[in-house]
Amino acid sequence: MTIGKASADNRAYRKISAWQIVAAAWLHFAVPIYVVAMPVTALMVAPAGAPFAAMLTLVPRLSMWFLGSYAGLGVVCVTTAMAVEPLLHWRSARREASDPNRAALASARRVARAIADGTNLLGGEPAALLSAMRDPRWDHADTRFQALSTDLAEVVRTTCAALATASADRRAAIVMLATTSLRRIATALTALQAEQSRLDEGDAQAIARYVAMRYDTPDIGGDFAGDEH
């Protein structure tokens, strides 16, 4: 049974907001820009031939101007990013909606995120089960595999959320629940892959029979030889 597919997709693959990227970059470069800007600005505004000590006295006043200007410009940039972000999301959603492979890509993202989160946070047998799911071939274009990836993401998400708020004496029981669910998903994945393998082998056999019927005839050499004359 597939649980909350749309919400699971959104939670499993949440993009960082544009304004968060801008704000993080602004904070990250604040100190390097200050270290470079202060000496240059002090040299520019100091009187010609002023001693180094006189330049140092300018630093507090210039620092206030720098911090105010930098903070104000940062607010403007972050606000602009917040205003533009809905347009970016609309364009991204429109592009994804027109992509015929969007369901397969979302399924692949769910599996990758669930395995990464579950392996890091759950540990023990759940981590081993999730790690083993890296190797099998997921046919994300198949709706059955997409449903399975949604359930896998939901198991990992709800388990991690439960562990985050559980008391110490309940954690083992929660991990056991997750282990049982992951075993069932692993079994279902193996069954789907076995069925897909049988279908692929059947296709290969059908093509082999077709090629044999088309080309493996007693007089095929004579026909080609006659065509050359």
Side-chain angles (χ1 to χ4, degrees):
M1 180 172 124
T2 302
I3 306 171
K5 182 177 181 189
S7 60
D9 284 352
N10 292 334
R11 285 188 292 261
Y13 189 71
R14 183 176 293 116
K15 296 180 180 179
I16 299 176
S17 300
W19 71 267
Q20 292 175 318
I21 297 175
V22 173
W26 215 255
L27 292 174
H28 179 77
F29 290 107
V31 173
I33 292 175
Y34 175 83
V35 170
V36 173
M38 280 301 97
V40 174
T41 306
L43 287 172
M44 292 177 62
V45 302
F52 180 73
M55 294 183 186
L56 290 178
T57 60
L58 298 173
V59 171
R61 181 162 53 90
L62 293 176
S63 296
M64 296 298 295
W65 279 101
F66 172 83
L67 292 176
S69 301
Y70 193 84
L73 189 57
V75 170
V76 171
C77 291
V78 171
T79 303
T80 303
M82 294 177 69
V84 173
E85 190 167 7
L87 176 60
L88 298 177
H89 286 172
W90 175 78
R91 291 186 60 186
S92 177
R94 185 178 180 182
R95 185 171 59 251
E96 290 183 1
S98 63
D99 186 356
N101 297 319
R102 62 186 182 278
L105 293 174
S107 178
R109 290 197 297 260
R110 283 194 298 270
V111 171
R113 183 66 177 270
I115 291 175
D117 289 350
T119 301
N120 292 332
L121 299 177
L122 300 181
E125 186 176 352
L129 289 168
L130 288 167
S131 182
M133 292 184 195
R134 298 179 194 272
D135 299 330
R137 183 172 63 87
W138 286 78
D139 185 4
H140 293 290
D142 190 325
T143 56
R144 298 171 301 172
F145 284 87
Q146 293 171 13
L148 196 62
S149 71
T150 300
D151 292 338
L152 174 63
E154 194 69 9
V155 167
V156 172
R157 185 195 68 80
T158 55
T159 302
C160 292
L163 287 175
T165 58
S167 58
D169 60 331
R170 294 299 305 162
R171 294 178 64 86
I174 294 172
V175 171
M176 181 56 65
L177 283 174
T179 303
T180 301
S181 297
L182 291 175
R183 286 173 184 165
R184 289 169 175 160
I185 290 176
T187 300
L189 177 60
T190 301
L192 282 178
Q193 290 163 343
E195 181 180 351
Q196 188 64 49
S197 179
R198 288 193 298 271
L199 293 174
D200 292 342
E201 184 176 349
D203 291 342
Q205 291 174 351
I207 290 296
R209 288 193 295 269
Y210 163 77
V211 171
M213 292 175 61
R214 184 177 176 87
Y215 299 107
D216 191 13
T217 57
D219 58 344
I220 189 170
D223 291 344
F224 288 156
D227 291 342
E228 293 177 359
H229 296 289

